[in-house]
Every structure is written in C-alpha cells, then in structure tokens.
Amino acid sequence: MSETTAEPNPRRWLILAVVGAAFFMTILDVAIVNVAIPSIEKDLRISEQTVQWVVTAYAIAFGGFLLLGGRMADLLGRRRIFVLGLIIFTVSSLACGLSHAANSAAVLIGARAVQGLGAAIISPAALSIVTTTFTEGAERNKALGIWGALGGSGAAAGVLFGGILVKYLGWEWIFFVNVPVGALVFALTGRIVPESRADVGRRRFDAAGAITVTSGLTLLVYAISKAPNVGWGSARTILLLLAAAAVLGAFVAIELRGRAPLMPFSIFRIRSLTAANVVGFLMGMVIFSNFFVLTLYVQQVLGWSALKTGVTFLATAGTTVIWAGVSQALTTRFGPRPVMTAGLLVLAAALYWYTRIPVDGHYWPDLLPAYLIFALGMALTFIPVSIAAFVGVAPQQAGLASGLLNTSQQIGGAIGVAVATTIFTTQAKSLLKSGHSTSQAFTSGYRDAFWALTVIALAGAVGAFMLLRGVHTAEEREGEAAGVPV
C-alpha cells in the first residue's frame, strides 16, 4: 500500500477500533497487575522482592523494545509487525495465567518479560497504522482523541478490572482475559487492516543500532526500576546507569555514521515532535506515578480491598473518556500548545489536592474531587501530546515517531515511579524510626511524593508553553493561509 492515498480508507474507523483494542489491552496490563501483587505473593509463596519482578520484567522489556518496534513497523510492514506483537503478547499472557497452575514464579516472571516485548511491538505499530490511515487534520485529530482516551483511561481502568478479576476469579484471570481479546483482534486484523510500510527505496536493517538502543534502554529501565531498593547512590545503580549511558552513546555514534540509520536524528528538527516527547516524558512521570502511589495509599493506609480500589478508580477512567472529545475539539480549534499547558496545570491542581491526604481519609471529600480533576487533566494533556507528536511527520517516519513518543512516556513513567518510591520510602522509614505509626509514616511519605509530582506537572506546563510556541496544526496553517488569525 502506498504511503499517500488519494482517497481516505472507507474502513478507517474499523481499523482504529481493531488496533485500538490491542493498544488498550497493553496499556491495561501496565496497571492491572499492581492490584494483584499481594494475591500473587501469597499464592506463590514468594518474597516481596521477588514478586516485584512481575512488574519490573514487563516494564524493562516494554521500555527497552519500543523504539525498535516502531522502526520495524515502518521498514518491514506495519500490519505484519503488529500481528507479530499480538501473537507474542497473547501467547505470553496465556503462559502467565498458567503459571498459577504450575505454582511457578519463574514461569510468571519470564512470561511477563515476553509479554512486555509483545506490548512494545504492538503499541508503536498500532499508532503508526492509525496515523498513516488518517491524513493530518481534523479527522486524524478525532482518531487520536479516541486513541488518547484509550491510553489515558487505560491505567485507571486497569486498576478497576484488576480488582474485579482478582476478587471473583483469581489473579490468573488478569492474564487469561487477554487471550480471547488477542484472538479476536488477530482474526479481524487480516480482514480489515491493510498492509503499509515506508517508501524508502533500498531497505537496510540497522542491526548494530537495533542492538545498542534496545540494550541501552533495557539497562536504563532496569537501573531505574531497582534504584529505590538498592539506593540511587549505590555502586550497582551508578555502574548500571553509566553502562546504559555508554551503550546509548554508542547507539548515537552508530546512527550518526550509518547509511541507513534505525533512527535518523533529523526527525528531531520537527519542533512539535521534539516538544511532544519532552512533555510526554514529564506527563508519563506524573500519570504512572499518580496511580501507583494512590493504589498504595488506599490499600496500605485506608485498608481498601482490591475490588473497592478498582471500583473507586472508575471515576477517573470513565470521565477521562468523556473529556477526550472536548480535548480533541479544543486542540483542533486552538492547537496543542494552550490545551496541553492547561492540562498539565489541571494535573498539578489534582496532585496538590493529594498532598493533603489524611491518615483516616474517605472517598468523599478526600479523594473523589481530585479523581475527577485528574481525569480532566489527563484528557487535556494526553490527546494534544499525541496530536503534536505527528504534526509535520512524514508517513514513512510514522512508526519511528510513535516509537519515540511511547518510549518517552514509558521511560518517564519508570523514572517517575522510581523517584516517587524513593521519596515516600525515605520519609516513611525516617518517621517509623522516630516512633510514628505505620499509617502516619506511610501517609507522610505519600504526601511528599505528591508534592514532587506537583512540581513535575508544573515543569511540564512550562515546557509545553515554551517548546510549542510557533507550532500549528493543519487547521491553523489553513486558517493562516486564508488570512484568519490563530
């Protein structure tokens, strides 16, 4: 299929539905496991340090392979790579569920790593399919608005579905449910989604670039994920970070000298894409960490069950979807800069509310207002970031652009969770030693973490306002050409 089509694909909304279902499944899996961790630990009789690898193994593979997955989609065929990722994700999900019957933590952790690999292939391939199916403009903005709603609500919905499944069916079903969904998407993809790839003439695959960027990102995510446990100043963390920097430095050198680089650095000349990645990184820090810290607070301090935790997050998941349409319309009308800036300020307001959480908190009035405010902020941020990342991006670089955006958000999320974990554990340990109760110590630690996230959200708002200056969407450019002020 050509990169440019005279007429839009008449089945484009069906294509969005199919690949969007797979994307939502992968985003759901980032958060859904957090609710099940206590049950997995108890069922498999493993330590807290071991059970955390169920989360860490997925994060390492997901963050490490996103960029490679996106570029593979451009060069080898977007549908082909999407299907490959879907098969890997679905089969590994089945293996994760079967680890319960095998009573094997090793099987579960290994399968989770493979599942993360599948997600890293699906996510950028799916997004590049969407951006090449819809031409830049109002219709693509609508599609990306739906995409942003799926991504923005996925983390909150993961907590909801995880709580329900763990309560009524058992933790293994958080993995088993992926199997019929994956099979259905696989069956529909061949019938609905057309093949497409970048028109780059002679095709060369940059093996050295692929190995170094994947190894470097994997080392980086691993070092960040383990830093709160072993210490940021420990020799292990420092050496791992230095090794990651060295390998990523080698990747840069290879790309600058290569004839057919995996990642042409010329893509960063597109200001909107560069800005979207910077803001997306900070946004990832805030959003992933927010749900992580809140889940700990309501379960460890307030004593809520997995089911109650999940149900209460419905307020965020449901209203994010409602606000997504508003966010898309505003971005189409006014451009990504004001909407994204406003969204990050709204996120900062919600996070500030969380800095006041009490030891004996209640759903109302301590949490629900902030849940709703955060949902609005997510919609106003996630969707314009997704739109800005593809303004002016050529179709043959769609996979690369989507891989970069996903990587920025996932690496940001990993760093954000690690920073938040370090802050609240340091404060909690200090207060426990001075005689405070566990609830008091933990709550104080969570408040400090939310203060840090508030500052990060404000930094993101400043970044969006400064970096997106002069960036206009297709509608704005058309308006300027017609003499209409924007």
Side-chain angles (χ1 to χ4, degrees):
M1 177 180 174
S2 172
E3 288 295 308
T4 58
T5 54
E7 296 294 332
N9 191 315
R11 308 176 81 178
R12 56 194 179 280
W13 296 106
L14 281 175
I15 293 170
L16 174 64
V18 171
V19 299
F23 168 67
F24 185 72
M25 183 172 62
T26 64
I27 293 298
L28 214 65
D29 241 63
V30 176
I32 198 170
V33 175
N34 288 329
V35 178
I37 287 296
S39 299
I40 294 173
E41 183 180 350
K42 180 180 178 181
D43 243 18
L44 299 183
R45 296 186 179 90
I46 53 180
S47 67
E48 184 177 349
Q49 290 74 23
T50 301
V51 78
Q52 285 304 315
W53 273 100
V54 176
V55 175
T56 304
Y58 185 91
I60 290 171
F62 195 9
F65 285 87
L66 275 166
L67 190 56
L68 176 60
R71 198 53 176 155
M72 285 171 61
D74 280 339
L75 298 176
L76 304 178
R78 299 184 179 102
R79 184 180 68 181
R80 177 185 298 174
I81 295 303
F82 173 77
V83 169
L84 173 64
L86 187 65
I87 292 171
I88 292 172
F89 188 87
T90 305
V91 173
S92 58
S93 294
L94 179 62
C96 286
L98 292 175
S99 67
H100 176 262
N103 196 33
S104 173
V107 171
L108 175 59
I109 293 168
R112 278 287 285 171
V114 178
Q115 195 183 35
L117 169 63
I121 296 172
I122 289 173
S123 295
L127 183 53
S128 65
I129 288 171
V130 173
T131 57
T132 53
T133 299
F134 295 86
T135 55
E136 184 180 341
E139 195 169 65
R140 183 198 280 181
N141 290 353
K142 290 179 183 178
L144 290 176
I146 295 170
W147 192 265
L150 293 174
S153 63
V159 180
L160 168 63
F161 295 148
I164 294 172
L165 292 169
V166 170
K167 172 71 174 178
Y168 293 108
L169 295 175
W171 62 261
E172 64 272 24
W173 280 93
I174 66 175
F175 303 113
F176 282 146
V177 293
N178 292 331
V179 178
V181 176
L184 178 61
V185 172
F186 177 81
L188 293 174
T189 298
R191 301 178 181 178
I192 294 174
V193 181
E195 184 59 283
S196 66
R197 66 184 71 192
D199 184 11
V200 295
R202 185 178 178 185
R203 299 177 187 277
R204 298 186 184 93
F205 191 74
D206 180 11
I211 293 169
T212 49
V213 72
T214 302
S215 301
L217 289 173
T218 300
L219 275 172
L220 179 63
V221 176
Y222 175 72
I224 292 166
S225 300
K226 301 306 292 181
N229 296 328
V230 301
W232 286 93
S234 68
R236 175 179 170 178
T237 299
I238 292 171
L239 288 173
L240 282 171
L241 289 174
L242 288 174
V247 176
L248 290 174
F251 166 70
V252 172
I254 291 168
E255 298 306 283
L256 290 174
R257 298 173 61 183
R259 292 183 179 179
L262 183 75
M263 188 176 76
F265 286 103
S266 59
I267 196 171
F268 290 109
R269 294 174 187 163
I270 304 173
R271 287 185 56 200
S272 58
L273 179 137
T274 302
N277 276 274
V278 172
V279 177
F281 174 84
L282 297 172
M283 179 191 74
M285 291 184 73
V286 167
I287 292 177
F288 283 93
S289 303
N290 169 76
F291 289 115
F292 177 71
V293 177
L294 273 179
T295 301
L296 291 176
Y297 168 69
V298 300
Q299 290 189 317
Q300 294 184 346
V301 175
L302 303 185
W304 292 2
S305 67
L307 177 60
K308 184 176 181 180
T309 299
V311 170
T312 55
F313 274 104
L314 182 61
T316 302
T319 51
T320 298
V321 174
I322 295 172
W323 286 115
V326 176
S327 178
Q328 171 270 314
L330 289 173
T331 304
T332 299
R333 175 65 181 85
F334 300 106
R337 183 189 183 205
V339 181
M340 200 185 302
T341 303
L344 284 155
L345 291 174
V346 172
L347 287 177
L351 292 163
Y352 172 72
W353 188 293
Y354 290 136
T355 63
R356 305 164 62 192
I357 51 175
V359 173
D360 56 348
H362 298 84
Y363 190 52
W364 174 267
D366 301 306
L367 294 176
L368 180 58
Y371 278 21
L372 297 174
I373 295 169
F374 198 86
L376 171 61
M378 275 205 305
L380 292 178
T381 306
F382 204 105
I383 290 161
V385 164
S386 299
I387 291 172
F390 294 94
V391 173
V393 173
Q396 62 265 29
Q397 292 185 318
L400 174 59
S402 59
L404 280 169
L405 182 62
N406 277 282
T407 300
S408 298
Q409 292 171 356
Q410 292 301 319
I411 297 295
I415 293 176
V417 169
V419 169
T421 301
T422 301
I423 291 171
F424 74 65
T425 53
T426 301
Q427 174 69 353
K429 287 178 181 178
S430 175
L431 292 180
L432 286 171
K433 288 179 181 178
S434 61
H436 289 77
S437 69
T438 301
S439 294
Q440 290 173 329
F442 281 14
T443 302
S444 180
Y446 298 144
R447 286 176 188 153
D448 284 357
F450 281 123
W451 272 115
L453 295 178
T454 302
V455 172
I456 293 169
L458 290 173
V462 173
F465 185 78
M466 298 298 293
L467 295 174
L468 285 167
R469 182 176 296 170
V471 172
H472 301 301
T473 60
E475 292 77 17
E476 291 178 297
R477 294 195 298 270
E478 289 171 4
E480 286 179 325
V484 178
V486 293

